[in-house]
Amino acid sequence: MRALLVCGALMAGLFMSCSSIQAGLYLASVDKDNGPAILNNEVEVRRLLEDMLASWEQYSMKAFVRTGISFQFKRTKLLTHSYYVIVSNNNGKFHTLSFYGTKMSFYSEGAWALDADSDMTSYTMYLEGNNQWDVMELFPDMIDTKKTLRNILDKMQSGVTYYYKDHIINKPNMDNCNTALYETIKD
């Protein structure tokens, strides 16, 4: 019985430390807020995008791809992250927007995140001439802001969940940052 209790305590400790490791990975690669906070914030993201859509002429959109994590030197097929930059034509202020998993897992609920730390850092460094994140613009001057905002809002309503390798192995009703971006730019 004692061995069973010790084994149970070790297993509980292992799962608790896995959660801590997951949270640490999320913090290091995505945002100070973890997955549940990003998921809860998606309602506010939706409101902001609806406001932008109502006055879409005041915004322009760009799409970028970067390394998945800051200490990665080059993008790889598996560790590539795509995100939008939405720029106010009035004052040049910008927001980043991308689709993230809500857990550091192959599968999770998924949510659209506004101004995630890693997106903001990579884009700001890119603008400053430091391309540590191997940032590259996709489709320069070819994004229809109105159509893309509408597509993103539709995608938010679609119930799509997150699958880490969706850009490699496309699964129905699942996206990752890359497929979510490509599917919302298209007609």
Side-chain angles (χ1 to χ4, degrees):
M1 181 68 170
R2 181 181 159 110
L4 189 57
L5 289 173
V6 169
C7 183
L10 287 173
M11 290 299 283
L14 176 64
F15 285 116
M16 284 175 34
S17 65
C18 286
S19 295
S20 298
I21 290 169
Q22 261 190 350
L25 286 172
Y26 210 96
L27 178 64
S29 64
V30 178
D31 198 80
K32 67 185 173 300
D33 293 326
N34 61 20
I38 287 176
L39 182 61
N40 290 335
N41 195 39
E42 195 176 49
V43 172
E44 294 302 317
V45 172
R46 181 172 183 74
R47 280 192 201 121
L48 179 63
L49 295 179
E50 287 170 344
D51 290 346
M52 289 176 170
L53 181 60
S55 57
W56 64 270
E57 305 92 348
Q58 296 177 23
Y59 298 93
S60 57
M61 293 183 75
K62 298 179 180 189
F64 291 88
V65 64
R66 65 169 170 83
T67 58
I69 47 181
S70 64
F71 52 83
Q72 179 186 342
F73 294 110
K74 293 285 179 195
R75 284 175 271 114
T76 65
K77 188 170 185 168
L78 193 57
L79 290 174
T80 294
H81 175 73
S82 299
Y83 62 100
Y84 286 108
V85 174
I86 305 170
V87 182
S88 167
N89 296 332
N90 296 330
N91 59 22
K93 291 183 180 179
F94 62 86
H95 292 282
T96 62
L97 177 70
S98 58
F99 187 70
Y100 278 105
T102 52
K103 289 193 274 185
M104 288 303 276
S105 173
F106 280 103
Y107 298 93
S108 69
E109 196 162 345
W112 287 85
L114 193 68
D115 299 335
D117 294 336
S118 56
D119 291 342
M120 290 296 284
T121 300
S122 66
Y123 184 65
T124 302
M125 290 174 75
Y126 171 78
L127 291 176
E128 293 169 350
N130 178 353
N131 202 7
Q132 173 183 333
W133 292 76
D134 194 22
V135 174
M136 181 180 82
E137 186 172 359
L138 304 170
F139 320 111
D141 303 317
M142 296 181 61
I143 298 175
D144 182 321
T145 300
K146 182 179 181 182
K147 186 185 305 182
T148 303
L149 286 169
R150 168 70 8 228
N151 289 343
I152 293 167
L153 288 163
D154 290 346
K155 181 73 81 170
M156 287 176 146
Q157 291 296 105
S158 71
V160 166
T161 58
Y162 180 86
Y163 171 51
Y164 173 68
K165 295 193 311 183
D166 194 64
H167 64 295
I168 298 169
I169 304 168
N170 190 15
K171 295 196 175 208
N173 298 316
M174 295 186 166
D175 278 332
N176 65 16
C177 58
N178 303 300
T179 55
L181 184 136
Y182 280 94
E183 290 176 8
T184 53
I185 285 178
K186 70 178 185 173
D187 294 332

